[in-house]
Coordinates of all heavy atoms in Angstrom, one line a residue:
M1 N 0.8 -1.2 0.0 CA 0.0 0.0 0.0 C 0.8 1.3 0.0 O 0.5 2.2 -0.6 CB -0.9 0.0 1.2 CG -2.3 0.0 1.2 SD -3.2 0.3 -0.3 CE -4.8 0.4 0.5
S2 N 2.0 1.2 0.7 CA 2.8 2.5 0.8 C 3.3 2.8 -0.6 O 3.5 4.0 -0.9 CB 3.9 2.3 1.8 OG 4.8 1.3 1.4
A3 N 3.6 1.9 -1.4 CA 4.2 2.2 -2.8 C 3.1 2.9 -3.6 O 3.4 3.8 -4.3 CB 4.6 0.9 -3.5
L4 N 1.8 2.5 -3.5 CA 0.7 3.1 -4.2 C 0.5 4.5 -3.7 O 0.3 5.5 -4.4 CB -0.5 2.3 -4.0 CG -1.8 2.8 -4.7 CD1 -1.5 2.8 -6.2 CD2 -2.9 1.8 -4.4
E5 N 0.7 4.7 -2.4 CA 0.5 6.1 -1.8 C 1.6 7.0 -2.3 O 1.4 8.2 -2.6 CB 0.5 6.0 -0.3 CG -0.8 5.4 0.3 CD -0.7 5.2 1.8 OE1 0.4 5.4 2.4 OE2 -1.7 4.8 2.4
K6 N 2.9 6.5 -2.4 CA 4.0 7.3 -2.9 C 3.7 7.7 -4.3 O 4.0 8.9 -4.7 CB 5.3 6.6 -2.8 CG 5.8 6.4 -1.4 CD 7.1 5.7 -1.3 CE 7.6 5.4 0.1 NZ 8.8 4.7 0.2
K7 N 3.2 6.8 -5.1 CA 3.0 7.1 -6.5 C 1.8 8.1 -6.6 O 1.8 9.0 -7.4 CB 2.6 5.8 -7.3 CG 3.8 5.0 -7.6 CD 3.5 3.8 -8.4 CE 4.8 3.0 -8.7 NZ 4.6 1.9 -9.6
F8 N 0.8 8.0 -5.8 CA -0.3 8.9 -5.8 C 0.2 10.3 -5.4 O -0.2 11.3 -6.0 CB -1.4 8.5 -4.8 CG -2.6 9.4 -4.8 CD1 -3.5 9.4 -5.8 CD2 -2.7 10.3 -3.7 CE1 -4.6 10.3 -5.8 CE2 -3.8 11.2 -3.7 CZ -4.7 11.2 -4.7
D9 N 1.1 10.4 -4.4 CA 1.7 11.7 -4.0 C 2.4 12.4 -5.2 O 2.3 13.6 -5.4 CB 2.6 11.6 -2.8 CG 1.8 11.3 -1.5 OD1 0.6 11.6 -1.5 OD2 2.5 10.8 -0.5
K10 N 3.2 11.6 -5.9 CA 3.9 12.1 -7.1 C 2.9 12.6 -8.1 O 3.1 13.7 -8.7 CB 4.8 11.0 -7.7 CG 6.1 10.7 -6.9 CD 6.9 9.7 -7.6 CE 8.1 9.3 -6.9 NZ 9.0 8.3 -7.5
I11 N 1.9 11.8 -8.4 CA 0.9 12.2 -9.4 C 0.2 13.5 -8.9 O -0.1 14.4 -9.7 CB -0.2 11.1 -9.6 CG1 0.5 9.9 -10.3 CG2 -1.4 11.6 -10.4 CD1 -0.4 8.7 -10.4
E12 N -0.2 13.6 -7.6 CA -0.8 14.8 -7.1 C 0.1 16.0 -7.2 O -0.4 17.1 -7.6 CB -1.2 14.5 -5.6 CG -2.0 15.6 -5.0 CD -2.4 15.3 -3.6 OE1 -1.7 14.6 -2.9 OE2 -3.5 15.8 -3.2
S13 N 1.4 15.8 -7.0 CA 2.3 16.9 -7.1 C 2.4 17.4 -8.6 O 2.4 18.6 -8.9 CB 3.7 16.5 -6.7 OG 4.7 17.4 -7.0
K14 N 2.4 16.4 -9.5 CA 2.5 16.8 -10.9 C 1.2 17.5 -11.4 O 1.2 18.4 -12.2 CB 2.7 15.5 -11.8 CG 4.1 15.1 -11.7 CD 4.4 13.8 -12.5 CE 5.8 13.4 -12.3 NZ 6.2 12.2 -13.2
L15 N 0.0 17.0 -10.9 CA -1.2 17.6 -11.2 C -1.3 19.1 -10.7 O -1.8 20.0 -11.4 CB -2.4 16.8 -10.7 CG -2.7 15.5 -11.4 CD1 -3.8 14.8 -10.7 CD2 -3.1 15.8 -12.9
D16 N -0.8 19.3 -9.5 CA -0.7 20.7 -9.0 C 0.1 21.6 -9.9 O -0.2 22.7 -10.1 CB -0.2 20.7 -7.5 CG -1.1 20.1 -6.5 OD1 -2.4 20.1 -6.8 OD2 -0.7 19.8 -5.4
S17 N 1.3 21.0 -10.3 CA 2.2 21.8 -11.2 C 1.5 22.1 -12.5 O 1.5 23.2 -13.0 CB 3.4 21.0 -11.4 OG 4.2 21.7 -12.4
I18 N 0.8 21.1 -13.1 CA 0.0 21.3 -14.3 C -1.1 22.4 -14.1 O -1.3 23.2 -15.0 CB -0.6 20.0 -14.8 CG1 0.5 19.1 -15.3 CG2 -1.6 20.2 -15.9 CD1 0.1 17.7 -15.6
G19 N -1.8 22.3 -13.0 CA -2.8 23.3 -12.7 C -2.2 24.7 -12.6 O -2.8 25.7 -13.1
N20 N -1.1 24.9 -12.0 CA -0.4 26.2 -11.9 C 0.0 26.7 -13.3 O -0.2 27.9 -13.6 CB 0.8 26.1 -11.0 CG 0.5 25.9 -9.6 OD1 -0.6 26.3 -9.1 ND2 1.4 25.4 -8.8
D21 N 0.5 25.8 -14.1 CA 0.9 26.1 -15.5 C -0.4 26.6 -16.3 O -0.3 27.6 -17.0 CB 1.6 25.0 -16.2 CG 3.0 24.7 -15.6 OD1 3.5 25.6 -14.9 OD2 3.5 23.6 -15.9
L22 N -1.5 25.8 -16.1 CA -2.7 26.2 -16.9 C -3.2 27.5 -16.4 O -3.7 28.3 -17.2 CB -3.7 25.1 -16.7 CG -3.5 23.8 -17.5 CD1 -4.6 22.8 -17.1 CD2 -3.5 24.1 -18.9
A23 N -3.2 27.8 -15.1 CA -3.6 29.1 -14.6 C -2.7 30.2 -15.2 O -3.3 31.3 -15.5 CB -3.5 29.1 -13.1
F24 N -1.4 30.0 -15.3 CA -0.6 31.0 -15.9 C -0.9 31.3 -17.3 O -1.0 32.4 -17.8 CB 0.9 30.5 -15.8 CG 1.9 31.4 -16.4 CD1 2.3 32.6 -15.8 CD2 2.5 31.1 -17.6 CE1 3.2 33.5 -16.4 CE2 3.4 31.9 -18.3 CZ 3.7 33.1 -17.6
I25 N -1.1 30.2 -18.1 CA -1.5 30.3 -19.5 C -2.8 31.0 -19.7 O -3.0 31.9 -20.5 CB -1.5 28.9 -20.2 CG1 -0.1 28.3 -20.3 CG2 -2.2 29.0 -21.6 CD1 -0.1 26.9 -20.7
K26 N -3.8 30.7 -18.8 CA -5.1 31.4 -18.9 C -4.9 32.9 -18.6 O -5.6 33.7 -19.3 CB -6.0 30.8 -17.8 CG -7.4 31.3 -17.9 CD -8.4 30.7 -16.8 CE -9.8 31.2 -16.9 NZ -9.9 32.7 -16.8
G27 N -4.1 33.2 -17.7 CA -3.8 34.6 -17.4 C -3.2 35.3 -18.6 O -3.6 36.5 -18.9
K28 N -2.4 34.7 -19.3 CA -1.8 35.2 -20.6 C -2.8 35.4 -21.6 O -2.9 36.4 -22.4 CB -0.6 34.3 -21.1 CG 0.6 34.3 -20.2 CD 1.3 35.7 -20.3 CE 2.6 35.6 -19.6 NZ 3.3 36.9 -19.7
I29 N -3.7 34.4 -21.8 CA -4.7 34.4 -22.8 C -5.7 35.5 -22.5 O -6.2 36.2 -23.4 CB -5.4 33.1 -22.9 CG1 -4.5 32.1 -23.6 CG2 -6.7 33.2 -23.8 CD1 -5.0 30.6 -23.6
D30 N -6.1 35.7 -21.2 CA -7.0 36.8 -20.8 C -6.5 38.1 -21.2 O -7.2 39.1 -21.4 CB -7.4 36.7 -19.4 CG -8.3 35.5 -19.0 OD1 -8.9 34.9 -20.0 OD2 -8.3 35.1 -17.9
G31 N -5.1 38.3 -21.2 CA -4.5 39.6 -21.5 C -4.4 39.9 -23.0 O -4.1 41.0 -23.3
L32 N -4.8 38.9 -23.8 CA -4.7 39.2 -25.3 C -5.9 40.1 -25.7 O -6.9 40.1 -25.1 CB -4.8 37.8 -26.0 CG -3.6 36.9 -25.9 CD1 -3.8 35.6 -26.6 CD2 -2.3 37.6 -26.4
P33 N -5.7 40.8 -26.8 CA -6.8 41.7 -27.3 C -8.0 40.8 -27.7 O -7.8 39.7 -28.2 CB -6.2 42.4 -28.5 CG -4.9 41.9 -28.7 CD -4.5 40.9 -27.6
S34 N -9.2 41.4 -27.6 CA -10.4 40.7 -27.9 C -10.6 40.8 -29.5 O -9.9 41.5 -30.2 CB -11.6 41.4 -27.3 OG -11.7 42.7 -27.8
A35 N -11.6 40.0 -30.0 CA -11.8 40.0 -31.4 C -12.3 41.4 -31.8 O -11.9 41.9 -32.9 CB -12.9 39.0 -31.7
A36 N -13.0 42.1 -31.0 CA -13.4 43.5 -31.4 C -12.2 44.4 -31.5 O -12.1 45.2 -32.4 CB -14.4 44.0 -30.3
A37 N -11.3 44.3 -30.6 CA -10.1 45.1 -30.6 C -9.2 44.8 -31.9 O -8.7 45.7 -32.5 CB -9.2 44.9 -29.4
M38 N -9.2 43.5 -32.2 CA -8.4 43.1 -33.4 C -9.1 43.7 -34.6 O -8.5 44.1 -35.6 CB -8.3 41.6 -33.5 CG -7.3 41.1 -32.4 SD -5.7 41.7 -32.5 CE -5.1 41.0 -34.0
G39 N -10.4 43.7 -34.6 CA -11.2 44.2 -35.8 C -10.9 45.7 -35.9 O -10.8 46.2 -37.0
E40 N -10.9 46.4 -34.8 CA -10.6 47.9 -34.8 C -9.2 48.1 -35.4 O -9.0 49.0 -36.2 CB -10.7 48.5 -33.4 CG -10.5 49.9 -33.4 CD -10.5 50.5 -32.0 OE1 -11.1 49.9 -31.1 OE2 -10.0 51.7 -31.8
I41 N -8.2 47.3 -34.9 CA -6.8 47.5 -35.4 C -6.8 47.2 -36.9 O -6.2 47.9 -37.7 CB -5.9 46.5 -34.7 CG1 -5.7 47.0 -33.2 CG2 -4.5 46.4 -35.4 CD1 -5.0 46.0 -32.3
K42 N -7.5 46.1 -37.4 CA -7.5 45.8 -38.8 C -8.1 46.9 -39.6 O -7.7 47.3 -40.7 CB -8.3 44.5 -39.1 CG -8.3 44.1 -40.5 CD -9.1 42.8 -40.7 CE -9.1 42.3 -42.1 NZ -9.4 43.3 -43.2
G43 N -9.2 47.6 -39.1 CA -9.8 48.7 -39.8 C -8.9 49.9 -39.9 O -8.8 50.5 -40.9
R44 N -8.1 50.1 -38.9 CA -7.1 51.2 -38.9 C -6.0 50.9 -39.9 O -5.6 51.8 -40.6 CB -6.5 51.4 -37.5 CG -7.5 52.1 -36.6 CD -6.8 52.4 -35.3 NE -7.8 53.0 -34.4 CZ -7.4 53.6 -33.2 NH1 -6.2 53.5 -32.8 NH2 -8.3 54.1 -32.4
V45 N -5.5 49.7 -39.9 CA -4.5 49.3 -40.9 C -5.0 49.4 -42.3 O -4.3 49.8 -43.2 CB -4.0 47.8 -40.6 CG1 -3.1 47.3 -41.7 CG2 -3.2 47.9 -39.2
D46 N -6.3 48.9 -42.5 CA -6.8 49.0 -43.8 C -7.0 50.5 -44.3 O -7.0 50.7 -45.5 CB -8.2 48.3 -43.9 CG -8.1 46.8 -43.8 OD1 -7.0 46.3 -44.0 OD2 -9.1 46.1 -43.5
G47 N -7.1 51.4 -43.4 CA -7.3 52.8 -43.7 C -6.0 53.5 -44.0 O -6.0 54.6 -44.4
L48 N -4.9 52.8 -43.7 CA -3.6 53.5 -44.1 C -3.4 53.6 -45.6 O -3.9 52.8 -46.3 CB -2.4 52.7 -43.5 CG -2.3 52.6 -42.0 CD1 -1.2 51.6 -41.6 CD2 -2.0 54.0 -41.4
P49 N -2.7 54.7 -46.0 CA -2.6 54.8 -47.4 C -1.7 53.7 -48.0 O -0.8 53.3 -47.5 CB -1.8 56.2 -47.6 CG -1.3 56.5 -46.2 CD -2.1 55.7 -45.2
T50 N -2.2 53.3 -49.2 CA -1.4 52.2 -49.9 C -0.3 52.8 -50.8 O -0.2 54.1 -50.9 CB -2.4 51.4 -50.8 OG1 -2.9 52.3 -51.8 CG2 -3.5 50.8 -50.1
L51 N 0.5 52.0 -51.3 CA 1.6 52.5 -52.2 C 1.0 53.3 -53.4 O 1.6 54.3 -53.8 CB 2.4 51.3 -52.6 CG 3.7 51.7 -53.5 CD1 4.6 52.6 -52.7 CD2 4.4 50.4 -53.9
G52 N -0.1 52.8 -53.9 CA -0.7 53.5 -55.0 C -1.2 54.9 -54.7 O -1.0 55.8 -55.4
K53 N -1.8 55.0 -53.5 CA -2.2 56.3 -53.0 C -1.1 57.3 -52.8 O -1.1 58.4 -53.2 CB -3.0 56.2 -51.7 CG -4.4 55.6 -51.9 CD -5.1 55.4 -50.6 CE -6.4 54.7 -50.7 NZ -7.0 54.5 -49.3
I54 N 0.0 56.8 -52.2 CA 1.2 57.6 -52.0 C 1.8 58.0 -53.3 O 2.2 59.2 -53.5 CB 2.2 56.8 -51.1 CG1 1.6 56.7 -49.7 CG2 3.5 57.6 -51.0 CD1 2.4 55.8 -48.8
A55 N 1.9 57.1 -54.3 CA 2.4 57.4 -55.6 C 1.6 58.5 -56.3 O 2.1 59.4 -56.9 CB 2.6 56.1 -56.4
T56 N 0.3 58.4 -56.2 CA -0.6 59.3 -56.8 C -0.4 60.7 -56.2 O -0.3 61.7 -56.9 CB -2.1 58.9 -56.6 OG1 -2.2 57.6 -57.3 CG2 -3.0 59.9 -57.3
L57 N -0.3 60.8 -54.9 CA -0.1 62.1 -54.2 C 1.2 62.7 -54.6 O 1.3 63.9 -54.8 CB -0.2 61.9 -52.7 CG -1.6 61.6 -52.1 CD1 -1.5 61.3 -50.6 CD2 -2.5 62.8 -52.4
F58 N 2.2 61.8 -54.7 CA 3.6 62.3 -55.1 C 3.5 62.8 -56.5 O 4.1 63.9 -56.8 CB 4.6 61.2 -55.0 CG 6.0 61.6 -55.4 CD1 6.7 62.4 -54.5 CD2 6.5 61.2 -56.6 CE1 8.0 62.8 -54.9 CE2 7.8 61.6 -56.9 CZ 8.6 62.3 -56.1
A59 N 2.8 62.1 -57.4 CA 2.7 62.6 -58.8 C 1.9 63.9 -58.9 O 2.3 64.8 -59.7 CB 2.0 61.5 -59.7
L60 N 0.9 64.0 -58.1 CA 0.1 65.3 -58.1 C 1.0 66.4 -57.6 O 0.9 67.6 -58.2 CB -1.1 65.1 -57.3 CG -2.3 64.3 -57.9 CD1 -3.4 64.1 -56.8 CD2 -2.8 65.0 -59.1
A61 N 1.7 66.2 -56.6 CA 2.6 67.2 -56.0 C 3.7 67.6 -57.1 O 4.0 68.8 -57.3 CB 3.3 66.8 -54.7
A62 N 4.3 66.6 -57.7 CA 5.3 66.9 -58.7 C 4.7 67.7 -59.9 O 5.3 68.6 -60.4 CB 5.9 65.6 -59.2
S63 N 3.5 67.3 -60.3 CA 2.8 68.0 -61.4 C 2.5 69.5 -61.0 O 2.7 70.4 -61.8 CB 1.5 67.3 -61.8 OG 1.7 66.0 -62.2
G64 N 2.1 69.7 -59.8 CA 1.8 71.0 -59.3 C 3.1 71.9 -59.3 O 3.1 73.0 -59.7
I65 N 4.2 71.3 -58.8 CA 5.5 72.0 -58.8 C 5.9 72.3 -60.3 O 6.4 73.5 -60.5 CB 6.5 71.2 -58.1 CG1 6.2 71.2 -56.6 CG2 7.9 71.8 -58.3 CD1 7.0 70.2 -55.8
A66 N 5.7 71.4 -61.2 CA 6.1 71.6 -62.6 C 5.3 72.7 -63.2 O 5.8 73.6 -63.9 CB 6.0 70.3 -63.4
I67 N 4.0 72.7 -62.9 CA 3.1 73.8 -63.4 C 3.5 75.2 -62.8 O 3.6 76.2 -63.6 CB 1.6 73.5 -63.1 CG1 1.1 72.3 -63.9 CG2 0.7 74.7 -63.3 CD1 -0.2 71.8 -63.5
L68 N 3.8 75.2 -61.5 CA 4.2 76.5 -60.9 C 5.6 77.0 -61.5 O 5.7 78.2 -61.7 CB 4.3 76.3 -59.4 CG 3.0 76.2 -58.7 CD1 3.2 76.0 -57.2 CD2 2.1 77.4 -58.9
N69 N 6.5 76.1 -61.7 CA 7.8 76.5 -62.3 C 7.7 76.9 -63.7 O 8.5 77.7 -64.1 CB 8.8 75.3 -62.2 CG 9.3 75.1 -60.8 OD1 9.2 76.0 -59.9 ND2 9.7 73.9 -60.5
N70 N 6.7 76.5 -64.4 CA 6.6 76.8 -65.9 C 5.3 77.7 -66.1 O 4.8 77.7 -67.2 CB 6.6 75.6 -66.7 CG 7.8 74.8 -66.6 OD1 8.9 75.3 -66.8 ND2 7.7 73.5 -66.3
W71 N 4.8 78.3 -65.1 CA 3.6 79.0 -65.2 C 3.6 80.1 -66.3 O 2.7 80.3 -67.1 CB 3.1 79.6 -63.9 CG 1.8 80.4 -64.0 CD1 1.6 81.7 -63.9 CD2 0.6 79.8 -64.4 NE1 0.3 82.0 -64.1 CE2 -0.4 80.8 -64.4 CE3 0.1 78.5 -64.6 CZ2 -1.7 80.6 -64.7 CZ3 -1.2 78.3 -64.9 CH2 -2.1 79.4 -64.9
S72 N 4.7 80.8 -66.4 CA 4.7 81.9 -67.4 C 4.7 81.3 -68.8 O 4.0 81.8 -69.7 CB 6.0 82.8 -67.2 OG 7.2 82.0 -67.4
A73 N 5.4 80.2 -69.1 CA 5.3 79.6 -70.4 C 4.0 79.0 -70.7 O 3.4 79.1 -71.8 CB 6.4 78.5 -70.5
I74 N 3.3 78.4 -69.7 CA 2.0 77.9 -69.8 C 1.0 79.0 -70.1 O 0.1 78.9 -71.0 CB 1.6 77.1 -68.6 CG1 2.4 75.8 -68.5 CG2 0.1 76.7 -68.7 CD1 2.3 75.1 -67.1
K75 N 1.1 80.1 -69.4 CA 0.2 81.2 -69.6 C 0.3 81.8 -71.0 O -0.7 82.1 -71.6 CB 0.5 82.3 -68.5 CG -0.5 83.4 -68.4 CD -0.4 84.2 -67.2 CE 0.4 85.5 -67.6 NZ 0.5 86.4 -66.4
T76 N 1.5 81.9 -71.4 CA 1.8 82.4 -72.8 C 1.2 81.5 -73.8 O 0.6 81.9 -74.8 CB 3.3 82.6 -73.0 OG1 3.8 83.5 -72.0 CG2 3.6 83.2 -74.4
A77 N 1.4 80.2 -73.6 CA 0.9 79.2 -74.6 C -0.6 79.2 -74.6 O -1.2 79.0 -75.7 CB 1.5 77.8 -74.3
L78 N -1.2 79.4 -73.5 CA -2.7 79.3 -73.5 C -3.4 80.6 -73.9 O -4.4 80.6 -74.5 CB -3.2 78.9 -72.1 CG -2.9 77.4 -71.6 CD1 -3.3 77.2 -70.2 CD2 -3.6 76.4 -72.5
F79 N -2.9 81.7 -73.4 CA -3.6 82.9 -73.6 C -2.9 83.9 -74.5 O -3.3 85.0 -74.8 CB -3.7 83.6 -72.2 CG -4.5 82.8 -71.2 CD1 -3.8 82.3 -70.1 CD2 -5.8 82.5 -71.4 CE1 -4.5 81.5 -69.2 CE2 -6.5 81.7 -70.5 CZ -5.8 81.2 -69.4
G80 N -1.7 83.5 -75.0 CA -1.0 84.3 -76.0 C -0.2 85.3 -75.5 O 0.0 86.3 -75.1

């Protein structure tokens, strides 16, 4: 009987250790962002400008600068 009790004590100790580990993991999981928070983050990321939008803005800015630098020639060509 004493051999069985010793084995039971070892098993009980291991189960306590597993229980502590599971409680730690549960605490970590509870600290993770919720699905709603992840959806909000995804919405914000989706709202960031894409490479195409940035390239378009850069092209518009470059066109505006080119027009301003050549305004006198453009004005002469259009209005005589």
Side-chain angles (χ1 to χ4, degrees):
M1 240 348 189
S2 67
L4 184 59
E5 289 175 353
K6 287 180 185 179
K7 287 185 179 185
F8 181 76
D9 287 341
K10 286 182 182 179
I11 291 172
E12 189 176 24
S13 171
K14 287 181 181 182
L15 285 175
D16 288 341
S17 176
I18 291 171
N20 290 336
D21 291 345
L22 287 176
F24 176 77
I25 292 170
K26 184 181 182 302
K28 291 289 187 179
I29 290 172
D30 288 343
L32 293 175
S34 65
M38 290 302 289
E40 181 182 343
I41 291 170
K42 184 181 181 313
R44 287 183 179 189
V45 169
D46 288 344
L48 291 173
T50 62
L51 184 59
K53 289 179 185 176
I54 293 172
T56 301
L57 290 174
F58 181 74
L60 287 171
S63 299
I65 291 170
I67 289 170
L68 289 175
N69 284 338
N70 297 309
W71 180 247
S72 60
I74 293 170
K75 189 166 99 174
T76 304
L78 290 176
F79 303 113

